[in-house]
Amino acid sequence: MMTGEAKLARPGSAGETKRRQGGRTRLFGKGRRGFTILAGLLALAGVTAAVFYVVSQPRTLRLAVGPLGSEDARMAAGFVQGLNREKSQIRLRLILTEGSEESARKVDAGDAELAIVRPDIALPAKADTALITRRSFPFLITDKESGIGRIADLRGRRVGVVRNPQGNIALLRLVLAQYEVGPQDVEIVGLTPDEIVPAAKERRIDAFFTVNAVGARAGGDGAGRLRSAWGEDPVLIPIREADALAARIRTIETGEIVRGALGGDPPRPSENLPTIAVTSRLVAAQDLDEDVVGNLVSALLGLRVTLAAELPQIQALETPATDKDAPLPVHAGAAAFIDGEQKTFFERYGDWFYLGVMGLSLLGTGAAGLLGRESAARRRQAMMGLDRLLAILPQIRATTDLEALDNYRAQADAILLEVLGDFGEGNLDSSAIAAYRLVFDQVSRAVVEAKIRAAAVQI
């Protein structure tokens, strides 16, 4: 009898046909696995590209500000223009409101991530300061004929207040209360900017209260218009107890109108005047990512150079104090940037990378163990053919029936095809093939010997 390997190679035999079919099946299986792996790699590359695309897209934040035409709204529009021009990773979309109160409500309601507010008017409960956009000083202005030299002299007088925003009237009442001047002692008259000059010319108003940034157009124009109405330089009334007001009311700060701040020769005012100050602030929602807020603050401060010619008031941008005893809290992201403690990407997520590597290592170890167990199981299954060959070997030696011998040989050929298939799939190594070869030789020899005995019996 020829060996199983020789018999399998006989052209046109059933074993050869089965071997070719098995080979084509294994090649098809390997090709399918290769395409599956390639498809998986392409899918992974696609997901990576999609994630990178999404991450690289600019983040758009909603900014509540108002009213339309106010200094705050003009500042916000400059922010939008500058960030778009610089192709910043953070962009802004304006939500126009009626003023600080509505802007604060927008942030608290989650309708905006940012707002520009005047804290003495409204301060959102769920947002902290990111930047100070403007510092304004209240002006109490009168003329020499009024005889008003200090705030207590306002008793029984009429005080005109530019009522846009409405918070100006509330601020005046706080100042008057510091000097024990009650609401019943002063008649407060709300005015529009266009009503100031006629009221001054007709002497219907004894003093005016306005809130402007020193050097701002509104402040300079207002003083100039009053000077033209009265025919003389207006008198500025100092708020000397500014420290006491600031200590009592956290949204108010101390300030000083420096000599010559309103221009002129001789300078106006002629000396430094103590007063209070109120700020307009860019506030960010407390749950807004710290990195996003820090990057926004950095980008906006960078606009002070690029937008200086188009928007001079942007030079007034300043960073808030980050001291623990600061009256108004600062957003953690802004504080980290201001204090130079903003974490890099790897500092922020390094621990997660470390945990991820450990997790992947554990998963890899577990996967290797599972693969090892699966490989051992496949090897045990592939080696079961050896037990079947060893089982039929004594049966071959015990018979001289030619039909039975042909049947045993067919079983051995079938086992040979299985062994070759398992070897092609990597389930058997060379040592296992050597063991099978030894047993196949024994089976072939036993079949030959049995047929010789059968022939001798027939003779």
Side-chain angles (χ1 to χ4, degrees):
M1 173 184 175
M2 293 182 292
T3 62
E5 291 86 345
K7 180 174 176 54
L8 183 64
R10 183 186 302 157
S13 67
E16 173 67 15
T17 302
K18 292 180 180 179
R19 187 170 73 88
R20 290 178 178 176
Q21 291 175 348
R24 286 195 295 270
T25 302
R26 289 193 296 273
L27 288 174
F28 178 75
K30 290 180 179 179
R32 184 169 56 186
R33 286 197 298 271
F35 281 119
T36 301
I37 293 172
L38 179 59
L41 291 175
L42 291 175
L44 180 61
V47 170
T48 303
V51 170
F52 179 77
Y53 175 79
V54 172
V55 171
S56 63
Q57 291 302 298
R59 171 81 179 272
T60 300
L61 303 177
R62 297 166 295 178
L63 170 59
V65 63
L68 181 65
S70 64
E71 287 292 328
D72 291 339
R74 283 193 287 271
M75 180 75 77
F79 290 165
V80 173
Q81 178 186 1
L83 293 176
N84 288 344
R85 182 186 301 169
E86 297 296 321
K87 296 184 175 7
S88 173
Q89 285 299 305
I90 299 177
R91 308 292 176 88
L92 299 178
R93 178 167 64 86
L94 298 187
I95 299 177
L96 291 175
T97 66
E98 294 300 321
S100 293
E101 293 181 346
E102 186 181 355
S103 297
R105 288 196 298 269
K106 291 285 186 183
V107 175
D108 284 339
D111 296 329
E113 294 82 18
L114 306 168
I116 295 180
V117 298
R118 215 176 86 182
D120 64 296
I121 298 177
L123 194 63
K126 299 179 181 179
D128 295 328
T129 301
L131 273 177
I132 296 174
T133 58
R134 184 158 52 96
R135 190 176 294 274
S136 303
F137 299 89
F139 289 81
L140 266 168
I141 307 175
T142 187
D143 65 334
K144 294 178 181 178
E145 292 185 9
S146 69
I148 299 172
R150 56 196 183 96
I151 293 177
D153 295 337
L154 293 174
R155 289 186 176 91
R157 304 298 185 100
R158 292 165 59 89
V159 180
V161 181
V162 179
R163 59 172 175 257
N164 185 20
Q166 286 290 338
N168 289 346
I169 295 177
L171 182 61
L172 173 60
R173 286 174 176 160
L174 289 174
V175 173
L176 294 176
Q178 175 64 33
Y179 295 90
E180 297 182 348
V181 178
Q184 71 281 359
D185 299 329
V186 177
E187 183 180 353
I188 298 176
V189 180
L191 300 172
T192 65
D194 294 335
E195 293 172 335
I196 293 177
V197 173
K201 284 184 176 180
E202 298 167 10
R203 302 286 176 175
R204 290 185 283 110
I205 301 296
D206 300 302
F208 294 88
F209 182 81
T210 183
V211 180
N212 293 111
V214 171
R217 178 176 215 147
D221 288 354
R225 284 184 293 170
L226 287 174
R227 185 167 58 254
S228 65
W230 287 325
E232 59 184 12
D233 284 339
V235 176
L236 298 180
I237 304 174
I239 304 176
R240 300 190 181 280
E241 282 67 37
D243 289 340
L245 273 166
R248 185 163 56 90
I249 304 169
R250 70 188 182 106
T251 56
I252 293 177
E253 301 179 10
T254 59
E256 186 177 62
I257 303 174
V258 298
R259 182 175 184 267
L262 301 180
D265 186 20
R268 297 184 293 269
S270 59
E271 61 180 11
N272 294 351
L273 294 182
T275 186
I276 59 175
V278 292
T279 57
S280 292
R281 295 178 177 238
L282 174 68
V283 297
Q286 294 167 350
D287 58 358
L288 188 58
D289 185 83
E290 294 180 13
D291 280 347
V292 172
V293 176
N295 292 335
L296 174 64
V297 171
S298 175
L300 293 180
L301 291 176
L303 296 179
R304 289 185 297 185
V305 175
T306 57
L307 292 182
E310 305 167 38
L311 191 70
Q313 56 265 40
I314 202 171
Q315 296 292 331
L317 280 182
E318 59 178 288
T319 56
T322 58
D323 301 336
K324 292 183 179 180
D325 57 350
L328 297 177
V330 178
H331 195 283
F337 170 79
I338 295 168
D339 295 337
E341 298 176 355
Q342 191 174 20
K343 294 181 179 179
T344 65
F345 179 83
F346 286 103
E347 287 174 339
R348 186 174 178 83
Y349 298 105
D351 291 343
W352 290 105
F353 276 114
Y354 177 73
L355 292 175
V357 169
M358 289 186 60
L360 289 175
S361 177
L362 292 175
L363 287 175
T365 302
L370 291 175
L371 290 174
R373 293 182 60 182
E374 183 183 358
S375 177
R378 290 199 305 269
R379 179 182 171 84
R380 285 194 299 269
Q381 182 68 28
M383 293 299 291
M384 291 180 64
L386 194 62
D387 295 334
R388 288 155 57 193
L389 287 173
L390 292 174
I392 66 174
L393 184 58
Q395 298 176 26
I396 294 172
R397 289 173 176 166
T399 185
T400 57
D401 186 347
L402 294 177
E403 184 177 354
L405 291 173
D406 289 337
N407 184 44
Y408 290 138
R409 185 176 60 187
Q411 292 181 39
D413 288 342
I415 294 172
L416 176 60
L417 287 176
E418 294 175 6
V419 169
L420 292 176
D422 287 330
F423 180 73
E425 293 176 2
N427 297 332
L428 294 173
D429 55 17
S430 58
S431 61
I433 291 297
Y436 268 110
R437 182 179 293 114
L438 178 61
V439 178
F440 275 124
D441 288 341
Q442 294 295 322
V443 170
S444 298
R445 187 178 295 111
V447 170
V448 171
E449 293 174 351
K451 284 189 175 184
I452 292 173
R453 288 197 305 272
V457 171
Q458 292 176 0
I459 293 173

